[in-house]
Amino acid sequence: MPIYEYRCEQCGFQKDHLQKMGDLVLTVCPSCNSDRYVRQLSAAGFQLKGSGWYATDFKCAAGNGGKAPATDAPAPPCASGCACHSS
């Protein structure tokens, strides 16, 4: 089950709630009972590590992790055919 972060726009109260994906969005602040309790957009809490498909199929094969080159020289095309350096 995902953990959703909520914040009250009236009193500033913040809390994380463990909810099912099909549960209704909470709207009432448990601190001040305001109806301005909104779900926040937050970063995912996991990181992919190792040499799985995410590293071999979606990273840039040119060796810089898909980042733009530091110079104006064009980067070599990726061996995997990704579009990270095509312009």
Side-chain angles (χ1 to χ4, degrees), residues 2-87:
I3 299 172
Y4 294 104
E5 182 180 348
Y6 284 82
R7 183 176 191 280
C8 179
E9 293 178 338
Q10 184 164 335
C11 71
F13 178 77
Q14 287 184 298
K15 185 175 181 182
D16 295 340
H17 294 276
L18 183 65
Q19 295 180 286
K20 293 180 182 176
M21 293 182 76
D23 286 350
L24 295 174
V25 176
L26 302 176
T27 57
V28 178
C29 175
S31 178
C32 70
N33 292 323
S34 166
D35 63 349
R36 299 180 63 193
Y37 201 49
V38 294
R39 189 162 62 185
Q40 303 292 299
L41 181 63
S42 55
F46 70 94
Q47 184 177 19
L48 300 175
K49 293 183 177 183
S51 60
W53 60 267
Y54 48 85
T56 57
D57 293 347
F58 292 106
K59 277 191 176 178
C60 171
N64 62 358
K67 296 177 185 170
T71 64
D72 291 337
C78 295
S80 63
C82 74
C84 66
H85 289 106
S86 61
S87 47

